Amino acid sequence: MFNASLKQLSIQLAGKKISSTELTSEFLQRIKQLNPEYNAFITVNEDLSLAQARAADQMIAAGQAGPLTGIPIAQKDIFCAKGWLTTCGSKMLSNFVSPYDAGVIERFNQAGAVNIGKTNMDEFAMGSSNETSYYGPVKNPWDHAAVPGGSSGGAACAVAARLAPAATGTDTGGSIRQPAALCGISGIKPTYGLVSRYGMIAFASSLDQGGPMAKSAEDLALLLNVMTGFDPRDSTSLQREAEDYARDLQKPLAGLRIGLPKEYFAEGMSSDVASAIDKALDEYRKLGAQTVEISLPNAPLAIPVYYVLAPAEASSNLSRFDGVRYGHRAESYSDLADMYRKSRAQGFGPEVKRRILIGTYVLSHGYYDAYYIKAQKLRRLIAQDFAEAYQQCDIIMGPTTPTVAFNLGEKSGDPIQMYLSDIYTSAANLTGMPAMSIPIGFGDKNRPIGLHIIGNYFKEAQMLNVAHQYQLVTDWHSRSPV
C-alpha cells in the first residue's frame, strides 16, 4: 500500500477495499514510527487528519469522490492551513496557527484529500539543503549522512520514505526539483501563475511557485489537476481554461526534439551525474526522440541574477515580521526601535538575516541601478535565450543538480558553494517556465540522480508525457529506500 500510486489508491478507495480512515491511520502510524529518524514533518495532527478522512469516506459513500478523495497528502509548512500550526520553518512563526486556508489547501480540501501533516523546510524557503530550519535538519532517506535538498526537503523525504503518497512543495530557485532529484522522486514547478500563491508565505514573489512532488509523473498529473486554477486573491494568478494534465501521458515520443544546452554539460558536473544523464538520453533515443545541441549563452548569469533579485524581494516581503504586525516579539526591550531589533534578531536564523542584508543593500540608494536594475535586464536576456532555443527543439533536458546529495554540514560554512547547488534550476524561475525533475539512477554512495526537463510556457502536459514515457520503460521512480 505504501508503494501504491495515487491512481491505485483511488481505485482501492472507490472499490471500498480500504477506507480513507484506515489509509490515513496507516500513514499516521508510519509517521509516528519513522519521523523521529527523518525529521520530515514539523506538525502532525491526528485529530484533524482523521476528521478529514471520515469526511472523505462520506464523500465516497455518497458517490461524490474525485481522483484524490480520501488520499493523504503532506503539505509543506509554507502553506497556511486553517487550525494548523504554520511555521515556515522559522522561530519567527513558531506559535502561528493559521485562521485561514491557502488557495492550494482549499483546492485539496475541495477535492476531498486528507492533510496528513506539515513538512519540514528551510527557514522561509531559504536554503538548498534543509539545514536552516528552526526545527532541525531533515535526513536523506537514502543515506542519513546526506542532505535531502532544500527547501522542500521535508516533502521530498516524506514521499521517498513512504511517509505520504504525495506532497506539495514550493520552488523559488529549484526548491521542488533539487530535493526531488536528491531524494529520488518526481517533482514539477509549473508555469509561474498557474498555482495560486494566496496563503503561501512569500519569499520572492516574482519567483515563488507552488507545485506537486510524488513518486511518478502520472501522480504529478493528478495532483496538478487539483492544484492549478485562477485565484482572484492572487494578482499574479493566470486566467486560463482548466486543463487535464494527464491527457497526453500515453503519446509516443517519436520525433520529439530534445535540446541539450552545451552550457549545462560543461565543467562542474560530476562524472556519476554525467553518466546517468547519458544513459537516460539513450533511453529517450530508443523511444524515438532525437537530441540537438543548443546554446543558452547567458545561462552562467542565472545564479548571480537570482541572488540579487531573490534577496531583494525577500528583504521587502519579510519586513512585515517585526513583532508588531506579525511574528515573534522579544520579551524585553527598552523602546520601540529596540523591540524591532531584538524581535527580528531573535526570530530569524542566520541564512534569512544574510539574505535580508543582501537584499537591503542591492535596493539601497546608490546601488539600486548598479545591481537590481541590471539584474532585471539580464533576466530578460536569459528569457530571450530560451525563446530562441525553442526554435530548435521541443523540450530541454540536462542535469537537475551538478552532484548527488552532499553530506550534512559539508557546505554550511560556504554560502557560495551552497548557492551553486541551484545552478541548473534557477533560470526556470527567472523566466517563469515550467520545469521538473525525475529520477534516473544512482551515483556516488548510492545517492539518487535527477534528470531536469524544462518545457516552454504552459507545456506541462507535454513534459509529463515525456517523463511518463521514460518511467514506463525504467523503474528508478518505483525504488524506495525503505
Side-chain angles (χ1 to χ4, degrees), residues 44-348:
V44 177
N45 189 321
E46 292 190 8
D47 292 340
L48 288 176
S49 296
L50 289 172
Q52 281 192 305
R54 288 190 289 272
D57 284 332
Q58 291 175 2
M59 288 178 68
I60 295 169
Q64 301 170 341
L68 296 186
T69 302
I71 295 178
I73 306 291
Q75 302 289 354
K76 186 175 180 178
D77 205 27
I78 201 168
F79 291 106
C80 290
K82 188 175 182 179
W84 286 80
L85 186 68
T86 301
T87 72
C88 216
S90 178
K91 179 180 179 180
M92 185 60 83
L93 290 172
S94 59
N95 63 354
F96 173 60
V97 176
S98 176
Y100 71 104
D101 284 325
V104 165
I105 299 292
E106 281 181 351
R107 286 182 167 276
F108 277 111
N109 290 345
Q110 289 165 4
V114 175
N115 183 349
I116 195 71
K118 306 295 288 295
T119 57
N120 205 347
M121 55 178 285
D122 279 310
E123 185 179 10
F124 284 101
M126 299 180 192
S128 302
S129 64
N130 223 125
E131 295 175 289
T132 71
S133 170
Y134 175 63
Y135 299 91
V138 177
K139 292 181 180 175
N140 190 312
W142 291 94
D143 184 341
H144 292 184
V147 302
S151 66
S152 306
C157 175
V159 175
R162 307 304 191 239
L163 302 183
T168 56
T170 60
D171 194 313
T172 306
S175 291
I176 286 176
R177 293 160 285 156
Q178 189 242 38
L182 301 190
C183 289
I185 65 166
S186 305
I188 184 168
K189 180 199 85 71
T191 303
Y192 181 78
L194 279 185
V195 173
S196 170
R197 292 187 300 107
Y198 173 76
M200 191 178 98
I201 298 170
F203 163 15
S205 303
S206 76
L207 305 166
D208 296 340
Q209 185 62 95
M213 305 174 79
K215 293 188 282 291
S216 68
E218 185 178 37
D219 283 357
L220 292 179
L222 295 176
L223 292 159
L224 213 52
N225 282 347
V226 170
M227 292 182 75
T228 56
F230 176 64
D231 186 342
R233 298 164 298 185
D234 173 4
S235 62
T236 60
S237 180
L238 297 171
Q239 294 195 53
R240 289 175 56 82
E241 288 188 12
E243 281 191 61
D244 176 7
Y245 292 100
R247 68 180 187 273
D248 292 338
L249 289 178
Q250 304 304 330
K251 278 190 175 180
L253 300 186
L256 180 79
R257 297 173 300 164
I258 298 174
L260 304 177
K262 62 182 182 182
E263 293 81 5
Y264 287 3
F265 292 86
E267 188 177 353
M269 181 167 47
S270 65
S271 59
D272 53 350
V273 172
S275 176
I277 297 289
D278 285 343
K279 291 175 183 173
L281 293 174
D282 284 342
E283 288 292 342
Y284 275 108
R285 293 186 186 101
K286 291 176 188 174
L287 290 168
Q290 55 182 292
T291 54
V292 293
E293 183 179 283
I294 60 170
S295 178
L296 300 171
N298 291 296
L301 298 174
I303 284 289
V305 168
Y306 175 83
Y307 278 101
V308 169
L309 297 182
E313 294 185 25
S315 71
S316 175
N317 278 326
L318 270 59
S319 64
R320 73 192 68 174
F321 299 105
D322 56 10
V324 177
R325 290 171 293 179
Y326 299 99
H328 167 83
R329 178 181 292 186
E331 289 187 2
S332 60
Y333 43 86
S334 57
D335 54 29
L336 184 63
D338 190 44
M339 187 201 68
Y340 286 148
R341 276 195 300 270
K342 286 181 177 173
S343 296
R344 288 169 67 80
Q346 295 169 10
F348 290 134

Side-chain angles (χ1 to χ4, degrees), residues 415-436:
I416 302 299
Q417 284 301 312
M418 185 76 80
Y419 297 164
L420 289 174
S421 300
D422 297 333
I423 191 167
Y424 301 127
T425 53
S426 56
N429 300 84
L430 292 169
T431 60
M433 287 176 159
M436 64 185 298

